[in-house]
Amino acid sequence: MTAAFAIFSACAAAALVLMALRRYVPSKRDVRWGLWGYLAIFLVTAGLGLSGILADVSRMPPPFLFFVLALLVVSVGIAMSAWGGRVISAVPLRVLIGLQGFRILPEILLDLAWREGLAPVQMTWHGRNFDIVSALSALLLFALWPRLTNPKVWAWLQSILAFGLLVNIVSVAVLSAPLPFRVFMNEPANRFVAFFPYIWLPGVHVLTALILHGLTFRRLAQKRP
């Protein structure tokens, strides 16, 4: 059940973003870029998960750290690209914020993984993961947007909070892995995210959240309302 939900949640998150692109971005070419980009992400991360290379903790530095760094580099590159510029010109700020509501899905996935004995408790909402606040606040802001007198201020506040909570859970996940600098010593260690289909938790969910944050911050930095 948990593996099936991992696949479903990753596909659902990608589908939500692609539907938004199709709805608001006028260029079909840019929409296709989004589709092909997601396809590449799914295939590359699935290949890494099936290979088991990210689970190798005997190498120093561990391959998983390079993977996390790659997610950050890719997200910044996409958000700051010419494609990202065209997306933030077309997609309303309200929608960029609201799309973060997909983060309910990985929270449910982590809860299921904990109940199945795959994930340590600190990675769930029972422990040190408060990212559900990011999803709920994004959906709330999306719903209340027309009633707000200064929605851009609220967008700044929600985005900073949500980005901080994302950094928090990624840090907890890394510090729960069987690495030399592991901090959380309770079992199980965070090994499951290195394997397919759970690799899509960082590879799709975290990457999507990072890209959306990058696009949102870039849009907020502009002077237009």
Side-chain angles (χ1 to χ4, degrees):
M1 176 180 177
T2 305
F5 190 81
I7 296 172
F8 163 77
S9 63
C11 293
L16 285 172
V17 174
L18 291 173
M19 284 190 294
L21 292 178
R22 186 177 180 183
R23 168 67 175 81
Y24 294 102
V25 176
S27 170
K28 292 183 179 179
R29 182 181 180 184
D30 285 336
V31 175
R32 286 196 297 270
W33 272 112
L35 175 61
W36 289 118
Y38 261 119
L39 182 60
I41 290 167
F42 272 87
L43 291 177
V44 170
T45 52
L48 288 172
L50 291 169
S51 72
I53 189 173
L54 297 181
D56 186 356
V57 295
S58 63
R59 300 183 186 182
M60 288 297 135
F64 193 79
L65 289 184
F66 288 108
F67 178 63
V68 173
L69 180 61
L71 294 180
L72 179 60
V73 172
V74 169
S75 64
V76 172
I78 292 175
M80 298 307 296
S81 67
W83 179 87
R86 293 191 294 272
V87 168
I88 63 172
S89 295
V91 180
L93 180 57
R94 177 189 183 186
V95 175
L96 289 175
I97 296 288
L99 284 172
Q100 294 280 6
F102 87 88
R103 283 155 74 167
I104 290 176
L105 296 173
E107 294 310 296
I108 296 173
L109 173 58
L110 284 168
D111 182 71
L112 291 173
W114 168 67
R115 295 178 186 277
E116 199 169 300
L118 297 172
V121 66
Q122 64 270 15
M123 287 179 60
T124 74
W125 51 39
H126 303 285
R128 295 173 178 265
N129 183 357
F130 311 106
D131 202 46
I132 189 68
V133 175
S134 302
L136 297 178
S137 61
L139 294 175
L140 181 62
L141 186 56
F142 179 85
L144 296 178
W145 193 270
R147 303 180 183 181
L148 300 175
T149 55
N150 197 340
K152 195 169 183 180
V153 171
W154 288 101
W156 269 113
L157 293 173
Q158 193 280 335
S159 297
I160 292 172
L161 171 65
F163 181 73
L165 292 176
L166 181 62
V167 171
N168 170 69
I169 181 52
V170 171
S171 300
V172 170
V174 171
L175 295 176
S176 299
L179 301 173
F181 47 81
R182 181 180 176 186
V183 172
F184 301 101
M185 305 306 293
N186 57 300
E187 295 295 335
N190 177 26
R191 297 181 179 89
F192 79 110
V193 296
F195 298 99
F196 179 81
Y198 308 109
I199 186 67
W200 284 344
L201 184 57
V204 175
H205 288 303
V206 172
L207 182 60
T208 297
L210 284 171
I211 292 171
L212 287 174
H213 276 307
L215 293 172
T216 301
F217 283 127
R218 185 177 177 183
R219 172 65 177 80
L220 286 170
Q222 296 178 347
K223 293 183 178 180
R224 62 192 180 98

